[in-house]
Amino acid sequence: MGTETEERKYVRLPVFLEQGFSFLKRDVLDNRICCLCGTCAAFCDKIEIKTSENELKPVLVEEYDTICGMCYAFCPRTFLPVSEIEARIFGEEEARKKAEGDVLGIYRSCYAVRSKKGDIKGQDGGAVTSLLAYALEAGIVDCAVTTTSDDQWRPISKVAKSYEDLKQSAGTKYTIYPGVIGIRDAMGAGGEHIGFVGLPCQIQGLRKVQTSEQPYEVGKERIKLLIGLFCMENFKEGLLDFVKAKLSLDLERVRKFDIKGKELLVYDDKGNSYGIPLDEIKRYESEGCSVCADYTAELADISVGSVGSEDGWSTVFARTKTGEEIVEGAVGKGYIEAKEIEEKGLGLIRRLGESKRKRGEKDY
Ligand SMILES: Cc1cc2nc3c(=O)[nH]c(=O)nc-3n(C[C@H](O)[C@H](O)[C@H](O)COP(=O)(O)OP(=O)(O)OC[C@H]3O[C@@H](n4cnc5c(N)ncnc54)[C@H](O)[C@@H]3O)c2cc1C
């Protein structure tokens, strides 16, 4: 244990040291609430994400000789002391000021953002790629863990170390993938100032890693920046085969997937677009998403989504001081343009956040 001040940075958790993988299996995997964020496998070399009983899930690849409980402590689905984590990240005063039931989370400013780099082909305004590019140039991070895909749109994590690497990761991949394992790769590659972009569950897992007071030496001080994406839900890999069969379209030819309103939109390389009603793909929704109450990645340094801004722009919440400095720095260095969004412009995001929270809390 460190000094008293050091200790206060960490969330005091109930003792989970006896609660090893068998407890994770009992409370999370057997309850089918694993979100496949990858946090357990990223930090424990005895756990891998593998196909087992026809689905991707964390499995123990080596028997424990000692039980450490790290996977249980870091998993975002075992317990999530949101207000304690907020107090550590945003400061006790900010956490106290947050209104009960607020679904937007704590933030300093909110903008509609568009990239000023013509070669960044983002999902919406290319905000994520441009903010990461600025953070890399400014030396705030020395690499960023992103999610790219293979030619069949299956997600793959990437340790991006250059502007070119970042550009290849732009765009949304709508199937579930344990992206946090990219942090292990970034650490293995010598990253000392690591950035990460991912979904709300992945940000929750990483914030538990950063704020847990348990004595795990996992290099958490090397994780410097978390960019979270808004997320209503994610889908199982079967979605890709369904789309391929339904549209008789080789996925290699798909240029973009998007969800707008009540449709999954698929754009091909010939300029055609196809719409599939969300009702038709409901069966591919990941069960693990049903208990999530976080729409806007409330615990991130910066959160980014499409809802709330016009087409071609991204909505960006700068939540922490680091997050705000990055947005302001990216404007100053000509990476992005940003227009402030006032509180009254956040109605739709708030409504979607409330509906996700209601669903998540009901199923928990
Ligand atoms: C599964 C999913 C569901 C989403 N649902 C919503 C929603 O309901 N409402 C909303 O407003 N926005 C949603 N988004 C966010 C939206 O699609 C855009 O990612 C966001 O607006 C950023 O756009 P951009 O142009 O700024 O990002 P870009 O510059 O295009 O960068 C996108 C970044 O996202 C990362 N990424 C892509 N796919 C994944 C993935 N599967 N897992 C982790 N990281 C990934 C890439 O690494 C890249 O760095 C969702 C995203 C995902 C992945």
Side-chain angles (χ1 to χ4, degrees):
M1 272 311 136
T3 64
E4 202 192 322
T5 339
E6 275 168 4
E7 275 176 40
R8 274 211 301 270
K9 283 196 315 211
Y10 301 114
V11 172
R12 205 154 287 143
L13 305 173
V15 175
F16 287 101
L17 293 178
E18 299 88 46
Q19 296 179 307
F21 190 81
S22 57
F23 282 75
L24 189 76
K25 184 170 175 319
R26 183 196 69 186
D27 293 353
V28 178
L29 303 175
D30 293 351
N31 276 333
R32 307 194 65 77
I33 56 170
C34 171
C35 51
L36 216 72
C37 63
T39 313
C40 55
F43 296 98
C44 177
D45 56 12
K46 299 182 179 68
I47 298 176
E48 278 179 19
I49 310 288
K50 287 182 139 186
T51 304
S52 166
E53 296 154 0
N54 272 332
E55 59 184 7
L56 265 185
K57 56 168 128 164
V59 292
L60 207 53
V61 287
E62 202 184 299
E63 278 311 312
Y64 276 122
D65 39 14
T66 53
I67 294 175
C68 79
M70 184 163 70
C71 57
Y72 199 90
F74 289 171
C75 171
R77 293 295 193 251
T78 49
F79 60 96
L80 188 66
V82 174
S83 40
E84 282 186 63
I85 295 176
E86 284 173 338
R88 299 312 182 276
I89 297 164
F90 305 110
E92 302 212 347
E93 208 185 317
E94 285 303 315
R96 235 191 335 266
K97 276 195 309 207
K98 183 180 150 187
E100 179 138 355
D102 184 353
V103 293
L104 299 183
I106 295 164
Y107 65 93
R108 291 164 171 250
S109 42
C110 180
Y111 304 95
V113 167
R114 183 165 68 177
S115 180
K116 287 181 88 174
K117 303 281 176 191
D119 55 347
I120 289 180
K121 307 287 174 228
Q123 179 74 13
D124 295 302
V128 173
T129 305
S130 307
L131 291 167
L132 286 173
Y134 166 72
L136 203 56
E137 190 213 279
I140 298 163
V141 297
D142 55 27
C143 64
V145 175
T146 59
T147 300
T148 175
S149 61
D150 66 11
D151 62 5
Q152 295 302 306
W153 281 88
R154 285 181 293 246
I156 306 170
S157 63
K158 182 178 182 81
V159 180
K161 292 186 169 167
S162 66
Y163 183 72
E164 288 307 311
D165 287 349
L166 287 172
K167 279 197 316 188
Q168 288 165 19
S169 303
T172 298
K173 292 91 201 173
Y174 281 104
T175 50
I176 199 152
Y177 177 75
V180 179
I181 54 175
I183 294 277
R184 184 190 58 201
D185 301 337
M187 287 182 177
E192 289 296 332
H193 296 84
I194 301 170
F196 175 85
V197 49
L199 299 166
C201 55
Q202 298 177 324
I203 302 298
Q204 290 168 351
L206 286 170
R207 285 304 193 196
K208 284 184 82 178
V209 172
Q210 288 179 313
T211 58
S212 158
E213 72 160 7
Q214 302 290 358
Y216 305 121
E217 297 291 334
V218 294
K220 60 188 171 194
E221 62 290 344
R222 293 158 72 184
I223 305 168
K224 301 290 187 197
L225 170 67
L226 299 182
I227 299 188
L229 304 172
F230 297 5
C231 178
M232 191 52 88
E233 73 269 295
N234 206 346
F235 297 88
K236 292 186 242 181
E237 204 181 281
L239 173 71
L240 295 173
D241 286 335
F242 171 77
V243 171
K244 191 170 164 180
K246 165 126 187 136
L247 303 179
S248 305
L249 181 66
D250 186 346
L251 297 187
E252 233 175 281
R253 292 192 37 220
V254 173
R255 290 293 162 266
K256 182 174 177 175
F257 285 98
D258 202 0
I259 292 184
K260 286 267 184 248
K262 295 195 179 320
E263 280 191 319
L264 172 71
L265 300 171
V266 185
Y267 299 88
D268 75 11
D269 55 352
K270 298 216 162 67
N272 303 310
S273 64
Y274 312 85
I276 303 177
L278 290 185
D279 280 348
E280 283 189 38
I281 60 168
K282 210 171 169 31
R283 64 183 182 279
Y284 297 106
E285 278 177 15
S286 164
E287 288 110 324
C289 299
S290 66
V291 294
C292 180
D294 183 358
Y295 178 58
T296 59
E298 293 175 45
L299 299 178
D301 290 294
I302 300 173
S303 301
V304 187
S306 59
V307 170
S309 294
E310 58 193 289
D311 282 356
W313 293 73
S314 312
T315 301
V316 173
F317 286 101
R319 298 188 183 279
T320 57
K321 189 161 176 281
T322 305
E324 193 165 55
E325 282 168 2
I326 290 175
V327 175
E328 286 170 359
V331 171
K333 287 277 180 183
Y335 279 85
I336 57 168
E337 56 186 311
K339 303 184 287 192
E340 197 150 347
I341 304 178
E342 289 173 25
E343 171 66 34
K344 62 178 190 300
L346 297 173
L348 180 56
I349 306 178
R350 201 179 282 286
R351 282 200 296 284
L352 290 166
E354 279 161 2
S355 115
K356 184 166 182 187
R357 175 140 326 163
K358 222 158 133 194
R359 182 185 77 185
E361 286 175 350
K362 173 171 70 68
D363 286 356
Y364 218 29

